[in-house]
């Protein structure tokens, strides 16, 4: 009998559910080296796109230098960590300029769960204006530019989950190496935040993947 025809399908989609007890401790996963500093950029819709001037921000990920290109948010959070969905999930989108064979990905996205002060009290602010409260407006040319130090979004404790997946918007291309920080970061905005419209993709099946984690279980 001939082998069954294999239909190409997408098997590495994001986001996914992350479980501490169903993931695997990989001691070789090194701490992510965040080399962040104040950077300038422009807002394109709800996405902050960094200007490509100066040294910029980058992470060193498994020996590779990956520059930070943009950051954006999803409300509510997309990845679910041990059954919990955060109010906001920040995506720090880094480019993998030259990847070795073991990282056939175009992007390293670091996800951070944010816990803003959210209340039902009026007046609430939409996400865009709320986020701009973290940015320093800079007068400039035709386009309004802003400055921000993305390290304000990083929690002190940076243990993480690690898996291969996809973008969660657009065509959901499977070109992302994901690092999802386990600990959330408390972040203050200029007043209460209105969490709609929702901009989160629903969780996708794990399929034939394993999720690694950088932290051991404490007995
Ligand atoms: Zn995203």
């Amino acid at each position: 009998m001939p082998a069954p025809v294999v239909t190409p399908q997408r098997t590495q989609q994001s986001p996914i559910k992350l479980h501490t007890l169903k993931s695997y401790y990989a001691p070789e996963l090194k701490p992510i080296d965040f080399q962040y500093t104040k950077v300038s950029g422009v807002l394109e819709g709800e996405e902050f796109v960094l200007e490509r001037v100066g040294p910029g921000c980058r992470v060193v990920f498994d020996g590779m230098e990956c520059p930070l290109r943009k950051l954006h948010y999803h409300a509510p959070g997309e990845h679910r960590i041990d059954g919990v969905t955060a109010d906001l999930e920040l995506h720090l989108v880094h480019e993998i300029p030259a990847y070795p064979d073991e990282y056939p990905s175009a992007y390293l996205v670091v996800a951070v769960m944010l816990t803003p002060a959210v209340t039902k009290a009026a007046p609430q602010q939409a996400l865009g204006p709320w986020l701009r409260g973290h940015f320093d407006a800079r007068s400039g040319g035709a386009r309004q530019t802003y400055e921000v130090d993305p390290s304000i979004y990083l929690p002190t404790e940076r243990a993480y989950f690690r898996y291969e997946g996809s973008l969660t918007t657009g065509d959901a291309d499977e070109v992302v190496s994901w690092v999802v920080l386990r600990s959330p970061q408390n972040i203050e905005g200029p007043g209460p935040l209105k969490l709609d419209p929702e901009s989160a993709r629903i969780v996708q099946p794990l399929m034939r993947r394993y999720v690694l984690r950088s932290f051991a279980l404490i007995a």
Side-chain angles (χ1 to χ4, degrees):
M1 258 179 74
V5 174
V6 176
T7 306
Q9 58 177 334
R10 304 204 295 176
T11 57
Q12 298 192 345
Q13 290 289 290
S14 296
I16 58 171
K17 297 176 188 173
L18 301 166
H19 296 280
T20 300
L21 295 177
K22 293 181 189 170
S23 56
Y24 297 87
Y25 173 44
E28 62 269 31
L29 289 177
K30 302 282 189 298
I32 306 293
D33 181 10
F34 290 93
Q35 299 177 0
Y36 282 4
T37 185
K38 195 169 209 177
V39 287
S40 60
V42 296
L43 282 167
E44 295 182 359
E46 305 268 315
E47 192 163 61
F48 184 73
V49 180
L50 276 65
E51 291 180 332
R52 299 195 184 196
V53 292
C57 291
R58 63 187 177 182
V59 297
V60 179
F61 168 68
D62 213 4
M64 298 181 290
E65 291 191 357
C66 304
L68 178 65
R69 295 302 186 204
K70 51 194 180 181
L71 56 92
H72 61 252
Y73 306 77
H74 299 269
E78 295 195 311
H79 289 89
R80 201 175 299 166
I81 298 181
D82 291 325
V84 176
T85 300
D87 290 324
L88 270 183
E89 180 172 338
L90 166 68
H91 288 164
L92 298 150
V93 182
H94 305 77
E95 190 180 331
I96 301 179
Y99 47 77
D101 289 344
E102 58 265 37
Y103 291 112
S105 292
Y107 300 104
L108 168 73
V109 181
V110 176
V112 188
M113 305 304 155
L114 300 180
T115 51
V118 181
T119 75
K120 295 272 186 280
Q124 295 175 320
Q125 288 189 297
L127 188 61
W130 187 87
L131 294 172
R132 285 196 287 278
H134 301 154
F135 302 154
D136 297 328
R138 223 179 48 172
S139 57
R143 302 182 78 182
Q144 175 71 59
T145 60
Y146 298 89
E147 288 187 326
V148 67
D149 181 350
S151 60
I152 63 171
Y153 298 116
L154 298 176
T156 308
E157 203 269 330
R158 295 175 189 172
Y160 61 90
F161 295 95
R162 171 81 184 84
Y163 79 99
E164 299 300 326
S166 72
L167 301 170
T168 67
T169 55
D171 293 333
D173 291 339
E174 295 176 338
V175 293
V176 178
S177 290
W178 281 95
V179 166
V180 182
L181 299 191
R182 174 181 61 168
S183 296
Q185 171 75 335
N186 294 309
I187 190 85
E188 295 299 321
L193 170 66
K194 186 179 183 180
L195 286 178
D196 61 66
E198 297 194 347
S199 59
R201 191 185 193 203
I202 60 170
V203 288
Q204 305 293 309
L206 184 62
M207 307 292 279
R208 303 179 68 183
R209 289 178 288 179
Y210 294 94
V211 176
L212 304 178
R213 53 179 154 79
S214 70
F215 54 97
L217 296 180
I218 299 167

